[in-house]
Each structure stands twice: as structure tokens, then as C-alpha cells.
Amino acid sequence: MVNSQLQVNYKPTFVQGASAAETKDAKSALLAAILGLERGLAASEEKRRAVQKLACALEAANPTAKPLRSPLMNGEWELQYTTCLAAIGGNAAPGVPAIKPKAGGIKQRVDMYSLKLINETTYNFFMSDFTNVAIGDVEAQSDSRLALNFTDFKIGPLQLKAPPKTPARLAIEWELAATGRGGSGAWLDTTYLDYDMRISRNDMGDLFVLTRVD
């Protein structure tokens, strides 16, 4: 479901002509704030609010007004912080130990030429790496927002196709499309982009801070 209130709250007004020094300082402040937060797992409510404020300040100085039209969007990105606990192993059932991805183990590859997005999450079990992969088709809904449709999954050695959509799911998608809120409902909005950092928000209102790998 699209959280329109969160959309309104985070949407920045771009600052034209923000200096390189100001942008560098804002990036440094954000990276310093997320240091030691275990990609968000160890963030208190106070820390989350502070990171949110710093992210909004950096978004307001976004030097790339049309991220999806920029070649900077392409490449491999490593997740440094998110409010989406499911992405970082923070949604375990009560009494069940959380299985956390290894350090540097959450990556996203974006290819706007082939319109593909690949999420990879790597865990370490008994000295061996175990990687889950989700492959999705993307479609530009605007100059910054991608609609997501994940089609293939790999859980370790097991490869799976996305299950068919139920009539109820299709009805929801039709309603979203009719009201101008997208089709599948799943989207990723890039609100800051430069040569080595990206900030994105999703349809659930989650914040993602990523740095470039290649």
C-alpha cells in the first residue's frame, strides 16, 4: 500500500546551487550518524529521527534532478542503512535468533539499460557464504521513481519463480493504477544521487542509504 503521508513528509524541495562543500558536509554528517548502527538494527528511535533529518537535508541538496536519466544510477550499490528491518534481518519471530547478513553483504545492482534490478543478501554459515537473490523488472514512473516487479528468486541453491498474482492482488493493482498511484504498488524513489552515494525511499516509507561498489 502506498503511504501518501510519508511521501509528503519526505519529499524535499531541491536547493538550486548548493555548493560542493555544503553537499560534502551533509554527506559526511549522514555517514557519521549511521556509523555503528548495524545498517539500522542498532538504531534507537532518537537515532532514527536524527538520521531521517540528515537524510532530508542531503536530499534537499540533490545534485541529480533526474536520477533515472543519469548514468550514475547504474552499477552496484551496498546498503549502509535502512529503516526496513526485514531487509537487514530484524524481523525474526519472538524468541527466534535473528539471522543477520554478513558485513557488506547487502547489495543492489541497477541496470537502467536492461530495466533490471537485482538484490543480493549474503549470509555466512559455518564459514561458508549463502546468498539470496531477488531479480526484478523495473519501469520508470517518473524521472526518479521506479515501479518494481520481482520475477525470480534464488535462496541459496534453490531457484524460484514469483508466484502468480491472486485476483485480490490484481484488483488492488487495478485500483492503484486507476487512482494514479502506480500499478503493482511497489516502487523505489531515488531522492539523492551522486557518483558514490544514493538515497532511496520505497512505497512503505522506508529509507535506504547506499554507497557505490562499482
Side-chain angles (χ1 to χ4, degrees), residues 12-186:
T13 299
F14 294 117
V15 176
Q16 301 297 323
S19 72
E22 289 171 335
T23 301
K24 182 179 179 180
D25 288 346
K27 287 172 64 175
S28 297
L30 177 58
L31 290 172
I34 63 179
L35 187 66
L37 297 185
E38 297 182 38
R39 291 179 288 228
L41 278 177
S44 63
E45 186 60 36
E46 181 181 0
K47 286 286 187 180
R48 281 193 288 270
R49 286 196 297 267
V51 171
Q52 188 76 240
K53 183 176 180 179
L54 290 167
C56 286
L58 190 53
E59 287 167 325
N62 182 19
T64 310
K66 298 179 178 181
L68 300 189
R69 295 177 180 265
S70 170
L72 292 173
M73 188 73 186
N74 296 300
E76 187 172 50
W77 300 86
E78 180 183 334
L79 182 67
Q80 301 295 340
Y81 174 88
T82 183
T83 56
C84 179
L85 296 182
I88 50 178
N91 61 338
V96 178
I99 302 175
K100 302 177 184 178
K102 64 183 290 187
I106 304 179
K107 294 185 173 68
Q108 183 178 83
R109 179 168 289 278
V110 180
D111 187 345
M112 292 304 298
Y113 300 110
S114 63
L115 296 177
K116 291 288 185 182
L117 182 147
I118 302 173
N119 288 336
E120 293 188 353
T121 305
T122 302
Y123 306 85
N124 186 269
F125 292 109
F126 306 107
M127 306 301 292
S128 297
D129 285 348
F130 180 95
T131 301
N132 293 344
V133 180
I135 302 172
D137 296 327
V138 300
E139 180 183 355
Q141 293 184 328
S142 71
D143 287 333
S144 65
R145 181 171 296 182
L146 288 172
L148 305 176
N149 180 33
F150 287 100
T151 58
D152 297 88
F153 300 88
K154 179 182 176 184
I155 303 175
L158 183 63
Q159 296 190 22
L160 304 168
K161 287 286 186 181
K165 295 176 181 177
T166 65
R169 177 71 255 177
L170 289 172
I172 292 172
E173 293 183 9
W174 291 334
E175 180 182 354
L176 289 170
T179 55
R181 291 178 291 163
S184 68

